[in-house]
Amino acid sequence: MAVEEEGLRVFQSVKIKIGEAKNIPPYPGPNRMRDCYCTVNLDQEEVFRTKIIEKSLCPFYGEDFYCEIPRSFRHLSFYIFDRDVFRRDSSIGKVAVKKEDLQKYHGKDTWFQLQPVSADSEVQGKVHLELRLSEVITDSGVINHKLATRVLECQGLPIVNGQCDPYAAVSLLGPSRSEAKKTKVKRKTNNPQFEEVFYFEVTRPLSYTKRQFDVEEEDVDKLALRVDLWNASNLKFGDEFLGGVRVPLRALDQAGVHDAWYFLQPRENGGKSVKVEELGSLRLNIVYTEDHVFPSEHYTPLRDLLLQSANVEPVSASTAHTLGEVCREKQEAAIPLVRLFLHYGKIVPFISAIAHAEVNRTQDPNTIFRGNSLTSKCIDETMKLAGMHYLRVTLKPIIDEICAENKSCEIDPVKLKESENLDTNRENLRQYVDRIFNVITTSGVRCPTVMCDIFFSLRESAATRFQVDQDVRYTAVSSFIFLRFFAPSILSPNLFQLRPHHPDPATSRTLTLISKTIQTLGSLAKSKSANFKESYMAAFYDYFNEQKYADAVKNFLDLISTSGKWDQKSIETPIMLKEGFMIKRAQGRNRFGMKNFKKRWFRLTNHEFTYHKTKGEGALCSIPIDNILAVERLEEESFKMKNMFQVIQPERALYIQANNCVEARDWIDILTKVSQCNRKRLSTYHPSAYLNGHWLCCKFSADTAPGCTPCTGGLPANIQLDVDGDRETERIYSLFSTYMTKLIKMQEACGSKSVYDGPEQEEYSTFVIDDPQETYKTLKLIVSAVQTLEQQHTKYKRDKFKKTKIGSQEHPIGDKSFQCYIRQQSESSTYSI
C-alpha cells in the first residue's frame, strides 16, 4: 500500500529471516526448559508469529516473513514469549529497532541482545498539545502569568488486553511543584479527541507595578509540562501506562505559544533492573525497503531501454542483461526484472533470448542451466510468481497430510530409534514418494501458460545446440520444474506458502528424504543410485528403478513444454487462496437475531468465500465470488474497532475484523483481485456502517442508498500477479545507482576490449561482453537515464527537507528532535524579523 506524498507514492516493505535465539534464561523450576515462540511487531501491533519450539533454551526458528507495511511506524520489534503448561504466555525479552536504524542491519545476519520488557517501556502513538502563556490580573490588581495547556487529541495509542480507554494526566513540574490534572476517559478508542484545557499558575513578576509579559528566564528553565497517557483499567492492578511527554517551557515562542505534536515516550527509569546478557540474544536478518515512486513519465527512458532488451543483438549488450552483470547477486536483478517483464507481457521473449545465449555458451549438456546465472534466477522468480497457485493446488493437500500424520519415515539405520522398524519406515516413505510423484506427473494440464512457453523455448534451444544428446530436451526443463520448483517446495513448504511455519524436525526430515527422491526421479540421470552419497538412499531408490517412472517424467515434461496448449483459466478445480480466523459481525439475515461479533474460520477459494465455526467444520455461510460487489475498508468509528473491512454483497455487507493491519490489507487485496472481473462491481460504497437507521458516513436513512465514496478497487487484474511497473523500474534505478562504479568499470572494459586483442585483463574478466561497441552504447544510455532520475530524487529530498516542519502531525517531536525544533523555531523567528 502506497502513501501519497506530494506527487510521489511511497512504498514500505520488510523481509525478515528469524534465525534462532540462544542463552534464553532457564525456567525457574525443575524442568528448566522453555517452550518459546517469536513475534514480529510494528510498534506494539503483532503481524507475525513463529511456531512454538518446545523444550529448548536455544530455539531454532528458521522462518521467513515478508510484508508490505501499510502504515507509518516507529519501531520494528521482536518479542520472545514462553508458553507454560497452563498455556499462559509470558514475555522473556524483546528487540526493538528504530525505523531510522533499519538500514544499519540491511541484509546482514545480526545477533541482537534481548532487552527487558516492561509496561512502562511499551509505548506508541503521538499527542497534540497547545501551550499558551498569558497575563491574568487578579481581583486585587496583581498580575500573574498562567499557562493554559490544551490537550487536543492522540493518535495510534496501543490497545491493551483488547481495549483502549485512554485519559491524559497533565502536570506542571518544577521546584516545589507537582500539580496534576486529568482529562475525562474516552471509551473504546485509541485515537481519542480530548479538547480539554487546564490552567497552571507559572510565576509572578518581581514588581507588581511593572507591566511586563516576559517570564523570568531562570524560572522558565526550571519548569516543564508533563503529559502522561493512561488506559483506564477495570483490573485490580490499576491503570496501564501508555506513554508520556515532557515539554520544557522554553519551547514557548516569543508570543508565549507552543503548538506541536509529540511522539509518546517510555516512562523514565521504567521497568526492573535486569542485566541484558541474562536474557539471551536473537539472530535476525532484516531487509527494509522504502521505494519513492515518481509519476510514470519520469521512468520512460529507463523503462523503454529495459523493455527493448529482448530485441537487442547480442542480448548481452541489453540493459536488462547489464543489470545482471553489475549486481553483486543475480537474484537482486532477477526479482524486479521478472516482475517488470511479466507486467508488460514481455517475460517469454526476454527469458528466451538470455537462455538461448547461455545455451550457446555451454559446452557440456550435463551442466546446462546448473549455475546461478541471470537466466536461472529469472526462471526461478517467474515460477514463484506465475506458478504459486499451480503449486498450491498440486502439492498443498499431500504436504498438509504428511505434516498432520507424523508417520516415521527415517531410513538411515544410524538415526533409527529403538521403537521404530526400518521396513515400516521405508514403506511409509515409499507411499509418500509415490503419491507426490503421481500428483506432479499428472498435473501438466494445470501448468501456467507462461511457464509452458518458457519451457518450450528452453527445450528448443537445448535440442538445437546439443543435437546428439537425445535427453537434453528433457533435462533442460527438468532442471527447473523438478530441481528448482517442486523439490525445494517439498523441502521447505513454508517458503512457498504451502505451510504457515517451518515443519517440526521429524516432519522436516521426512520432507527432505521425499525431496531428494523426487529430485532424482525428475533428473532422468543415467545412473540413479550413483546420485546418492548415502548408501541407504541408493538402496531405497531401487523401489523406483522402473521404466514407468522415467516414462511418466518424460510424458509430463513433453506436456508442459508444449507452447500455448493449455489455458489455466479453464481449470475448474477450486484453488484455496487464503484462510484464517477473523471476527465477523452478524449479517442480520435473521430479522430478530442479535447482531453481535463472533470469531470464525474464513476460507477463500477462486469459487467462493466462506466462514465456519472452526477449521474443518461445514460452512455457516457461503458467498459466491460472483456476489462480491466490492471489498473496502470500514472506518474505525463505525464500531470503535481497528482493522475492519467490508465484503459488500447485493443484499447486505459482511463486516469483518482482521487480527492486524497487515492481515487486513492482505485479505482486502486478495478478495479484491479474485472479484475484480465481476460484471456488477460497484463504483461507489459507504465507508461507514449502517447503524440506528442511517449510514454513519452520509447520514442517508435508506439502507439501499447508493454509496457516497468512490471504490478503491482498480482495473481487472490477474489473480496471480499484482505488479506496479513504475515501482519495479524505481527499484531497478536504485540498483543501477548503487552499482554505478561497476557500470563505469564495465565501460572501461568495453574500451579495453575494443582496442586490445590480447589476453583479457583480470579486473574486466567478470563481465560478459560479446560486442564491446553495442554494450558501450547501452551503458552510456543507462548512465544518462540513471543520472536524470538521480537529479529528480535529489531535488525531491531537498524540497522535502525545506518543507519539513518538526512538531507537525507528519513529523512529531521525538526524544532526539526537541533541539532541532528549538533551532528551527529560532531560525524561523530570525527570518521573520
Side-chain angles (χ1 to χ4, degrees):
M1 180 178 294
V3 177
E4 293 288 341
E5 219 177 74
E6 296 184 6
L8 266 78
R9 291 175 298 135
V10 181
F11 296 87
Q12 302 175 103
S13 63
V14 66
K15 182 170 67 174
I16 303 162
K17 289 181 181 293
I18 305 172
E20 60 191 306
K22 66 179 181 182
N23 302 327
I24 299 294
Y27 187 78
N31 183 18
R32 297 177 66 79
M33 292 292 106
R34 292 186 183 269
D35 298 342
C36 295
Y37 65 89
C38 177
T39 67
V40 180
N41 295 57
L42 292 174
D43 297 320
Q44 303 305 307
E45 184 180 14
E46 180 183 319
V47 295
F48 178 73
R49 179 181 295 198
T50 69
K51 69 181 298 183
I52 297 173
I53 305 299
E54 298 180 346
K55 299 177 182 177
S56 175
L57 299 180
C58 296
F60 176 80
Y61 298 106
E63 299 208 29
D64 290 34
F65 172 66
Y66 172 85
C67 77
E68 297 281 333
I69 301 175
R71 63 171 177 83
S72 59
F73 69 100
R74 291 169 63 189
H75 293 88
L76 182 64
S77 303
F78 305 83
Y79 291 78
I80 299 292
F81 287 92
D82 175 41
R83 175 164 292 182
D84 63 19
V85 292
F86 302 106
R87 300 186 65 79
R88 295 176 304 196
D89 297 343
S90 58
S91 57
I92 296 173
K94 71 173 182 180
V95 172
V97 185
K98 290 182 179 180
K99 179 181 176 179
E100 56 266 31
D101 292 338
L102 286 170
Q103 287 301 322
K104 294 180 185 176
Y105 311 106
H106 187 86
K108 303 172 186 174
D109 267 9
T110 307
W111 283 98
F112 293 90
Q113 291 291 329
L114 291 174
Q115 304 294 325
V117 177
S118 70
D120 289 338
S121 66
E122 301 298 286
V123 303
Q124 70 177 57
K126 52 191 176 183
V127 61
H128 188 190
L129 303 174
E130 182 185 292
L131 280 61
R132 188 176 297 272
L133 194 64
S134 58
E135 289 183 345
V136 178
I137 303 176
T138 65
D139 293 340
S140 60
V142 177
I143 301 173
N144 287 347
H145 289 93
K146 288 197 173 182
L147 180 70
T149 301
R150 187 180 177 199
V151 183
L152 290 95
E153 62 177 311
C154 292
Q155 289 185 358
L157 297 179
I159 295 174
V160 181
N161 298 322
Q163 60 110 39
C164 188
D165 298 331
Y167 68 89
V170 186
S171 308
L172 185 63
L173 308 177
S176 68
R177 287 179 182 267
S178 185
E179 304 174 64
K181 302 178 182 183
K182 295 180 181 178
T183 67
K184 294 177 182 178
V185 175
K186 299 295 181 179
R187 299 289 179 185
K188 297 183 179 179
T189 177
N190 66 337
N191 298 313
Q193 302 279 334
F194 292 112
E195 292 288 351
E196 294 192 41
V197 182
F198 304 98
Y199 293 94
F200 298 93
E201 183 174 321
V202 176
T203 186
R204 259 183 210 144
L206 297 177
S207 170
Y208 297 148
T209 60
K210 183 181 177 184
R211 295 299 298 268
Q212 65 178 43
F213 181 78
D214 293 335
V215 180
E216 299 296 327
E217 185 71 25
E218 57 181 2
D219 288 339
V220 172
D221 286 343
K222 295 175 183 177
L223 296 177
L225 189 78
R226 177 81 194 179
V227 180
D228 290 327
L229 275 297
W230 296 84
N231 180 48
S233 174
N234 296 322
L235 302 176
K236 61 182 180 180
F237 304 110
D239 297 346
E240 292 99 350
F241 178 73
L242 300 179
V245 296
R246 184 179 183 275
V247 185
L249 291 199
R250 60 192 175 91
L252 295 165
D253 62 19
Q254 291 183 341
V257 177
H258 176 62
D259 184 342
W261 284 84
Y262 280 83
F263 279 128
L264 294 174
Q265 302 296 331
R267 188 153 51 176
E268 295 173 3
N269 301 321
K272 300 177 181 178
S273 177
V274 180
K275 290 184 179 179
V276 171
E277 60 268 20
E278 293 178 358
L279 297 178
S281 54
L282 179 66
R283 180 167 61 86
L284 301 167
N285 188 305
I286 305 170
V287 176
Y288 170 75
T289 305
E290 193 171 290
D291 298 320
H292 294 77
V293 182
F294 290 103
S296 187
E297 60 269 17
H298 290 78
Y299 298 103
T300 301
L302 181 58
R303 182 174 56 241
D304 288 350
L305 283 173
L306 289 161
L307 296 179
Q308 292 164 8
S309 294
N311 302 321
V312 174
E313 288 287 349
V315 73
S316 60
S318 69
T319 302
H321 192 278
T322 300
L323 182 65
E325 289 297 297
V326 298
C327 284
R328 185 178 58 193
E329 302 289 341
K330 302 295 185 188
Q331 185 77 4
E332 283 184 293
I335 293 173
L337 284 175
V338 166
R339 295 175 69 86
L340 182 72
F341 283 118
L342 271 169
H343 179 68
Y344 287 102
K346 294 181 177 290
I347 190 66
V348 175
F350 171 65
I351 288 182
S352 297
I354 59 174
H356 184 72
E358 181 173 333
V359 168
N360 286 339
R361 286 194 295 268
T362 304
Q363 302 301 318
D364 184 354
N366 294 316
T367 62
I368 194 168
F369 300 127
R370 291 301 169 93
N372 287 321
S373 63
L374 182 63
T375 305
S376 298
K377 293 300 181 183
C378 283
I379 297 176
D380 287 354
E381 194 62 27
T382 304
M383 291 191 299
K384 283 181 184 178
L385 290 170
M388 195 54 67
H389 295 298
Y390 167 49
L391 195 64
R392 287 176 71 89
V393 75
T394 303
L395 288 185
K396 184 170 172 52
I398 181 66
I399 295 292
D400 286 343
E401 189 178 323
I402 292 170
C403 292
E405 289 180 343
N406 286 317
K407 287 183 180 179
S408 179
C409 295
E410 183 55 72
I411 58 173
D412 183 356
V414 177
K415 296 181 179 179
L416 207 65
K417 296 179 181 177
E418 289 185 8
S419 59
E420 295 176 346
N421 181 279
L422 185 59
D423 290 336
T424 302
N425 288 4
R426 278 178 178 161
E427 180 59 21
N428 290 340
L429 183 61
R430 187 193 66 78
Q431 289 182 10
Y432 281 148
V433 170
D434 246 338
R435 290 179 60 190
I436 286 184
F437 179 81
N438 286 332
V439 297
I440 289 174
T441 53
T442 57
S443 70
V445 67
R446 289 191 292 270
C447 187
T449 304
V450 67
M451 289 171 60
C452 293
D453 290 343
I454 290 170
F455 294 150
F456 173 77
S457 175
L458 300 182
R459 171 182 175 143
E460 292 299 300
S461 292
T464 303
R465 174 76 171 87
F466 301 104
Q467 297 181 13
V468 178
D469 192 323
Q470 294 300 308
D471 282 339
V472 73
R473 58 187 176 142
Y474 295 117
T475 55
V477 178
S478 68
S479 63
F480 287 103
I481 195 70
F482 281 100
L483 183 65
R484 296 172 178 267
F485 189 59
F486 285 123
S489 61
I490 297 168
L491 182 66
S492 303
N494 55 305
L495 300 183
F496 291 79
Q497 288 83 57
L498 299 180
R499 295 289 298 174
H501 299 295
H502 189 71
D504 62 74
T507 305
S508 183
R509 174 64 175 164
T510 297
L511 294 175
T512 299
L513 296 172
I514 295 171
S515 178
K516 281 185 174 184
T517 311
I518 291 295
Q519 182 177 317
T520 305
L521 278 167
S523 68
L524 293 172
K526 301 295 189 295
S527 175
K528 300 298 176 63
S529 59
N531 286 341
F532 297 106
K533 292 180 284 186
E534 308 93 342
S535 58
Y536 61 85
M537 283 300 298
F540 172 70
Y541 197 82
D542 286 340
Y543 286 120
F544 307 98
N545 237 339
E546 299 181 33
Q547 188 60 36
K548 67 176 184 179
Y549 290 101
D551 290 343
V553 170
K554 288 183 177 181
N555 288 337
F556 170 68
L557 295 175
D558 279 335
L559 187 59
I560 65 172
S561 58
T562 303
S563 178
K565 185 172 182 180
W566 301 102
D567 183 1
Q568 63 190 25
K569 293 179 182 177
S570 66
I571 304 302
E572 294 300 322
T573 306
I575 301 173
M576 207 288 292
L577 302 174
K578 189 170 177 62
E579 58 184 348
F581 276 112
M582 291 188 290
I583 294 171
K584 67 97 186 174
R585 182 177 186 262
Q587 299 182 73
R589 288 175 294 169
N590 184 339
R591 187 176 181 84
F592 302 103
M594 290 285 290
K595 293 184 180 179
N596 55 357
F597 290 87
K598 290 185 178 179
K599 188 175 184 179
R600 292 289 183 252
W601 179 263
F602 285 82
R603 192 169 189 271
L604 174 66
T605 72
N606 56 329
H607 289 182
E608 61 182 356
F609 182 48
T610 59
Y611 62 78
H612 315 247
K613 190 169 185 179
T614 189
K615 185 178 181 180
E617 291 193 5
L620 297 174
C621 176
S622 173
I623 303 172
I625 296 301
D626 291 342
N627 280 6
I628 298 177
L629 306 184
V631 185
E632 299 288 347
R633 293 188 180 276
L634 189 71
E635 289 182 352
E636 181 184 336
E637 294 306 313
S638 295
F639 300 106
K640 307 294 184 185
M641 296 168 68
K642 293 174 69 70
N643 304 319
M644 289 202 70
F645 64 95
Q646 51 184 319
V647 179
I648 303 171
Q649 308 161 68
E651 301 297 328
R652 64 185 67 84
L654 173 60
Y655 298 135
I656 303 172
Q657 183 188 36
N659 295 311
N660 56 64
C661 64
V662 172
E663 188 175 289
R665 181 191 58 78
D666 288 346
W667 274 106
I668 292 170
D669 282 354
I670 192 69
L671 280 162
T672 299
K673 289 171 196 171
V674 79
S675 63
Q676 273 183 330
C677 293
N678 291 350
R679 291 190 297 272
K680 296 181 180 180
R681 276 187 64 84
L682 298 177
S683 58
T684 59
Y685 77 106
H686 293 283
S688 294
Y690 183 82
L691 294 174
N692 303 321
H694 68 277
W695 292 101
L696 297 181
C697 42
C698 58
K699 309 305 179 185
F700 285 169
S701 57
D703 61 356
T704 56
C708 57
T709 302
C711 288
T712 58
L715 297 171
N718 187 331
I719 189 174
Q720 293 181 330
L721 194 61
D722 183 26
V723 172
D724 185 319
D726 294 336
R727 185 182 182 186
E728 301 309 323
T729 312
E730 166 65 27
R731 287 182 168 179
I732 292 170
Y733 148 74
S734 182
L735 288 170
F736 274 133
S737 180
T738 300
Y739 295 108
M740 181 58 76
T741 54
K742 276 199 171 184
L743 282 173
I744 304 302
K745 183 73 71 176
M746 200 169 175
Q747 282 184 315
E748 294 173 3
C750 289
S752 174
K753 280 200 167 194
S754 297
V755 299
Y756 181 60
D757 293 332
E760 192 170 25
Q761 295 184 40
E762 187 175 345
E763 61 177 326
Y764 302 142
S765 61
T766 56
F767 300 123
V768 175
I769 301 174
D770 296 321
D771 187 328
Q773 291 184 339
E774 285 298 318
T775 304
Y776 186 84
K777 289 178 185 176
T778 300
L779 287 165
K780 193 173 180 180
L781 292 170
I782 293 171
V783 170
S784 175
V786 170
Q787 287 176 343
T788 301
L789 279 167
E790 187 77 48
Q791 291 169 5
Q792 294 287 337
H793 278 276
T794 302
K795 182 179 183 300
Y796 162 73
K797 291 175 183 176
R798 186 170 57 246
D799 292 346
K800 184 180 179 183
F801 179 77
K802 287 179 180 178
K803 294 176 182 178
T804 297
K805 181 184 177 184
I806 300 173
S808 64
Q809 186 174 356
E810 295 77 21
H811 302 281
I813 299 172
D815 55 343
K816 295 181 180 178
S817 58
F818 183 75
Q819 293 301 327
C820 295
Y821 171 80
I822 295 295
R823 187 164 55 251
Q824 191 178 70
Q825 292 298 103
S826 175
E827 291 171 357
S828 176
S829 63
T830 302
Y831 178 77
S832 63
I833 292 171

